[in-house]
Amino acid sequence: MPDHRSETHAGSPPRVSFPRCYNAAADLVDRHLEAGQGDRVAYYDASGRHTYADLAERAARMGNALSSLGVEREQRIALLLLDTVDFPAAFLGSLRAGVVPVLLNTLLTPKDYAYMLSDSRAALVIVSDALLPKLEAALAELPEKPRVLVADSPLGESDDWKARAEYVSLAEVLAAASPHLSPTSTTPDDVAFWLYSSGSTGAPKGTVHLHSHLMQTAVLYAQGVLQIRADDVVYSAAKLFFAYGLGNSLTFPLSVGASAVLSAGRPTPAEVARVMREYQPSIFCGVPTLFASLLASPELETGVSPKLRISTSAGEALPRHVGEAWSTRFGSHILDGIGSTEMLHIFISNRHDDIRYGSSGHPVPGYQLKLVGDDGEPVPRGEEGSLWVSGPSAAAFYWNNREKSLATFHGPWTRTGDRYVCDEDGYYVYSGRADDMLKVGGIWVSPFEVESALGEHSSVLEAAVVGHEDAAGLTKPKAFVVLKPGQTPTEALEAELKAFVKQKLAPYKYPRWIEFLEELPKTATGKIQRYRLRA
């Protein structure tokens, strides 16, 4: 196995080296067996603990099973799996066999799955039994149906599917397969897997990643910035189908021989509290809306894991008050950062010894950034611009979508769609998505800035701000607010919130209207779907 090092040369960013013949699955697992560490725990899930030797055997059986089912090298298969050990086994087994897994969000609709299966042309689907009804509805819309393997899961309620000839039990197929499989001789630039973008601004896009991308993020971010260690236990509330969760629960712990906790259920405050107390993780990975919910929940009043040393946040920018409240209550910081499906993981981040809440921090070594204006030219420091990033984990392209590929990928640069300011100290401060920005009275207003101000009020759990036209047809900010438990929406509270924002920000930025909601519309990865609020 290659000994990865982040090499730095004068005048150039750090880079990770790879041999010409390289298979990411073998790199992530085999090194631990070769070092005599096969008995180390790789995963904890509802079925128990699974060592690196167990994982290696499961992955080999998976690769052999795919071959026995007629799946060929470079063909695509879809994974619609809950977070159990079957997910990393299926993912790594596919890569080991040279098959390309396409990771599907478990919270979508049958219509979404029908689109993704048709778009990806997956030859086979591996699905958790609890998700089979939605898959069946999707398959009914497809003229050509892929083979289906069904995995038992903690959330499955019925075994009726086992009597149906069109479905094959994953457990039975694995039991019949050989536990030995040499890795396919892929290269660092071979296509490894796909992730579908969250679709927060339209139809999801098949984002194509290579074998080298996994270890690039592990060395540059997880080892270099997060400082993950072999004795860490990682718990990611973000699921494995999400680029952020895939790194947190698979790439990062496996890259150093650490352990990860997998939970099949939704990351409610009660479920997060249970996992924290039972497994005592040292690294916790969440998203801003979850951190806010946890802080407002009585489930964690008595504390979290006593071994927790650091948390991470991504998906959207972490409001300053949420980060400060978390570190005060639990005695450990959140490393806020920004990543994307296109870049696979975080490329701007705070550091253990350099945390500035309210900012995304500094570029991760190995990644380069630029902020450009509407004219395409770099903006001066302190001015807002569109964020472009260059780095070794950038997706190769969007599948079957040349127009979007050309609009997003420009040579070594990837256009993120985020707007940022780089302040005088070199910290990157999030302003919002480019298509979410509002022009009020001829001046640009960041919805995120208004949302953060509202979030500092003691009655507000979370908020989203969009543009809304007044009687004169002029755009002004409108806020949608979710209150904390026990709070009641009233006209007096609405007036109080407007006045509160005026005290925090320039007066023209305050929301002219406030609508109270039970919950905000979000993608499964926690991003607010402002386009639905605008509609």
Side-chain angles (χ1 to χ4, degrees), residues 157-288:
E157 297 179 354
S158 171
D159 288 339
D160 292 348
W161 59 269
K162 293 182 178 179
R164 299 174 59 179
E166 66 265 39
Y167 300 132
V168 179
S169 166
L170 176 65
E172 292 180 4
V173 168
L174 294 183
S178 168
H180 306 289
L181 176 64
S182 297
T184 302
S185 56
T186 49
T187 74
D189 290 339
D190 263 307
V191 172
F193 61 99
W194 292 14
L195 294 158
Y196 270 94
S197 65
S198 62
S200 59
T201 57
K205 301 175 288 293
T207 309
V208 178
H209 280 285
L210 312 180
H211 273 264
S212 62
H213 291 177
L214 293 165
M215 194 58 75
Q216 293 279 11
T217 62
V219 173
L220 296 176
Y221 172 74
Q223 298 171 24
V225 175
L226 181 57
Q227 298 176 13
I228 192 171
R229 308 184 304 238
D231 61 349
D232 276 317
V233 175
V234 182
Y235 169 43
S236 175
K239 301 299 185 180
L240 278 160
F241 67 76
F242 179 22
Y244 177 49
L246 183 68
N248 299 338
S249 294
L250 192 147
T251 316
F252 298 170
L254 298 189
S255 76
V256 295
S259 306
V261 182
L262 301 179
S263 172
R266 292 181 60 244
T268 61
E271 174 64 4
V272 170
R274 181 194 69 79
V275 173
M276 288 283 198
R277 294 181 184 122
E278 181 174 350
Y279 296 99
Q280 299 187 17
S282 53
I283 298 177
F284 172 59
C285 308
V287 295

Side-chain angles (χ1 to χ4, degrees), residues 189-407:
D189 290 339
D190 263 307
V191 172
F193 61 99
W194 292 14
L195 294 158
Y196 270 94
S197 65
S198 62
S200 59
T201 57
K205 301 175 288 293
T207 309
V208 178
H209 280 285
L210 312 180
H211 273 264
S212 62
H213 291 177
L214 293 165
M215 194 58 75
Q216 293 279 11
T217 62
V219 173
L220 296 176
Y221 172 74
Q223 298 171 24
V225 175
L226 181 57
Q227 298 176 13
I228 192 171
R229 308 184 304 238
D231 61 349
D232 276 317
V233 175
V234 182
Y235 169 43
S236 175
K239 301 299 185 180
L240 278 160
F241 67 76
F242 179 22
Y244 177 49
L246 183 68
N248 299 338
S249 294
L250 192 147
T251 316
F252 298 170
L254 298 189
S255 76
V256 295
S259 306
V261 182
L262 301 179
S263 172
R266 292 181 60 244
T268 61
E271 174 64 4
V272 170
R274 181 194 69 79
V275 173
M276 288 283 198
R277 294 181 184 122
E278 181 174 350
Y279 296 99
Q280 299 187 17
S282 53
I283 298 177
F284 172 59
C285 308
V287 295
T289 52
L290 178 59
F291 284 112
S293 295
L294 292 172
L295 287 167
S297 171
E299 297 288 346
L300 270 70
E301 284 295 337
T302 56
V304 291
S305 167
K307 297 180 181 179
L308 184 66
R309 66 182 182 88
I310 199 69
S311 300
T312 69
S313 180
E316 287 194 312
L318 182 75
R320 176 177 55 81
H321 67 278
V322 174
E324 291 173 346
W326 182 271
S327 61
T328 297
R329 183 183 298 183
F330 301 124
S332 67
H333 281 295
I334 299 173
L335 294 187
D336 184 30
I338 180 176
S340 68
T341 302
E342 290 77 8
M343 299 305 294
L344 190 54
H345 214 276
I346 291 171
F347 53 84
I348 309 177
S349 180
N350 282 265
R351 309 293 200 273
H352 286 264
D353 58 352
D354 184 11
I355 291 176
R356 181 175 292 189
Y357 288 123
S359 85
S360 298
H362 296 287
V364 170
Y367 293 85
Q368 296 176 298
L369 308 176
K370 65 180 179 181
L371 297 178
V372 302
D374 294 339
D375 58 0
E377 296 298 319
V379 300
R381 180 163 289 196
E383 291 189 14
E384 182 185 288
S386 295
L387 177 67
W388 293 42
V389 57
S390 175
S393 60
F397 54 88
Y398 294 131
W399 170 258
N400 204 22
N401 201 328
R402 180 166 171 77
E403 181 180 357
K404 289 287 188 181
S405 294
L406 291 173

Side-chain angles (χ1 to χ4, degrees), residues 29 106 146 235 238 245 328 344 425 460 476 507 530:
V29 178
T106 61
Y235 169 43
T328 297
L344 190 54
D425 297 321
V460 175
K476 302 289 184 351
R530 291 176 181 81

Side-chain angles (χ1 to χ4, degrees), residues 476-504:
K476 302 289 184 351
K478 177 179 180 178
F480 295 84
V481 171
V482 177
L483 297 175
K484 291 180 178 177
Q487 299 295 318
T488 302
T490 63
E491 290 185 6
L493 179 56
E494 180 179 351
E496 182 180 330
L497 292 176
K498 291 178 179 179
F500 184 79
V501 174
K502 286 182 180 180
Q503 294 172 358
K504 294 282 184 180

